[in-house]
Amino acid sequence: MNMIKAKDYKDMSRKAANIISAQVIMKPDCVLGLATGSSPVGTYEQLVKWYEQGDLDFGNVTTVNLDEYKGLSRDNEQSYYYFMHHHLFDYVNINPDRTFLPDGMNPNPEEECARYEEVIRSVGGVDLQLLGIGHNGHIGFNEPGDAFETMTHCVTLKERTIEANKRFFASIEDVPKQAYSMGIRTIMMAKKILVVVSGEDKAEAVKQAFFGPVTPQVPGSILQMHPDVTVVADEAALSKCDLV
Ligand code: GLP
């Protein structure tokens, strides 16, 4: 695991955007696995800037997102579909037909999860998967549990996740209780993984996920088993780890 120390959120975002840029430059028709949440927002902002400056071309890039709330339509401002358009897709030359997310409006989990796995398979798998990490160590929406969920599945969100995500909704009752998420196996099949993490409130999750035992109680800990993981963490997020 390659642990890159960043000064703060801005520095983390620039470093992560540099790694994604390198991927797009090295393989213009790559498949990027993308994430939502506040952690990658600055990374997307930086990518948009470099695109505007003419340094990046998304014309042949394909994207697959990690997850989507179940029951939210694409035009709902809290849907991850909306998030991705608002933070990246609408501002770069990506072909919208080459951007994929789970369909939160499909009421049939079995059908939707199988469809999404097939999407990932049909694009040839993920070259570089971007990830944030939740306070309880979740990745995508893979919540702590007794076993690692393998493939794309329908998740019932943990209280702590609903609590953390309520800041984006009018009230806690509006936060969806379920989501479709890539599974741990789906994520681990990516050729490369890039984790962005910032802030003191994530320090415990960082310590447990990257320096603790590998356990389904901390889903992100599985990343220790991946052969090509880069974590870009700021000083605050690393404050509970004994790094020099
Ligand atoms: C959500 C997303 C995750 C994200 C996590 C952390 O639950 N499904 O993909 O990593 O939140 O979000 P944030 O970056 O806002 O702390």
Side-chain angles (χ1 to χ4, degrees):
M1 181 174 288
N2 184 12
M3 182 65 76
I4 297 178
K5 197 169 174 178
K7 200 174 166 334
D8 50 22
Y9 182 83
K10 193 167 177 216
D11 187 31
M12 173 200 79
S13 301
R14 287 177 65 88
K15 286 182 160 66
N18 262 304
I19 293 168
I20 297 171
S21 295
Q23 173 67 66
V24 173
I25 291 165
M26 299 290 280
K27 188 179 177 192
D29 62 346
C30 66
V31 177
L32 298 178
L34 298 180
T36 52
S38 40
S39 306
V41 166
T43 306
Y44 295 146
E45 256 172 39
Q46 186 62 68
L47 290 174
V48 170
K49 268 190 208 146
W50 285 334
Y51 165 73
E52 285 168 349
Q53 288 170 14
D55 291 335
L56 267 179
D57 180 1
F58 289 88
N60 292 312
V61 169
T62 297
T63 65
V64 286
N65 261 76
L66 277 173
D67 47 11
E68 178 60 282
Y69 285 118
K70 183 165 178 274
L72 294 195
S73 63
R74 291 173 161 197
D75 55 0
N76 186 307
E77 290 185 16
Q78 300 311 331
S79 72
Y80 287 166
Y81 178 94
Y82 189 97
F83 176 104
M84 288 312 303
H85 279 264
H86 187 68
H87 288 288
L88 183 67
F89 299 159
D90 292 354
Y91 307 107
V92 297
N93 66 330
I94 199 158
N95 175 355
D97 295 340
R98 301 298 303 165
T99 64
F100 300 97
L101 286 98
D103 176 5
M105 290 308 278
N106 188 343
N108 182 335
E110 215 171 295
E111 186 187 287
E112 181 52 24
C113 296
R115 182 195 71 83
Y116 202 59
E117 281 293 329
E118 178 52 26
V119 165
I120 298 165
R121 199 201 57 77
S122 70
V123 299
V126 174
D127 289 297
L128 175 65
Q129 175 68 56
L130 176 63
L131 292 177
I133 189 158
H135 293 104
N136 59 9
H138 74 239
I139 50 174
F141 266 134
N142 289 276
E143 294 280 33
D146 296 333
F148 289 114
E149 284 278 357
T150 54
M151 313 304 271
T152 300
H153 58 292
C154 180
V155 194
T156 297
L157 302 178
K158 296 275 183 200
E159 208 54 55
R160 185 146 186 220
T161 303
I162 293 173
E163 187 63 35
N165 290 353
K166 76 169 187 211
R167 65 189 194 276
F168 301 114
F169 293 83
S171 77
I172 196 160
E173 287 74 40
D174 293 334
V175 187
K177 307 292 176 283
Q178 289 189 310
Y180 292 130
S181 177
M182 278 189 196
I184 292 294
R185 182 159 181 270
T186 330
I187 294 171
M188 289 293 276
M189 276 167 54
K191 292 191 188 87
K192 285 181 238 154
I193 293 183
L194 170 63
V195 187
V196 283
V197 55
S198 140
E200 213 179 329
D201 57 320
K202 294 284 176 70
E204 190 57 37
V206 168
K207 186 178 167 192
Q208 288 190 22
F210 306 125
F211 300 96
V214 175
T215 161
Q217 294 300 331
V218 184
S221 65
I222 193 74
L223 299 174
Q224 295 179 42
M225 313 292 284
H226 191 283
D228 193 344
V229 177
T230 299
V231 180
V232 185
D234 70 4
E235 284 170 9
L238 289 170
S239 58
K240 291 197 176 166
C241 306
D242 301 325
L243 291 178
V244 271

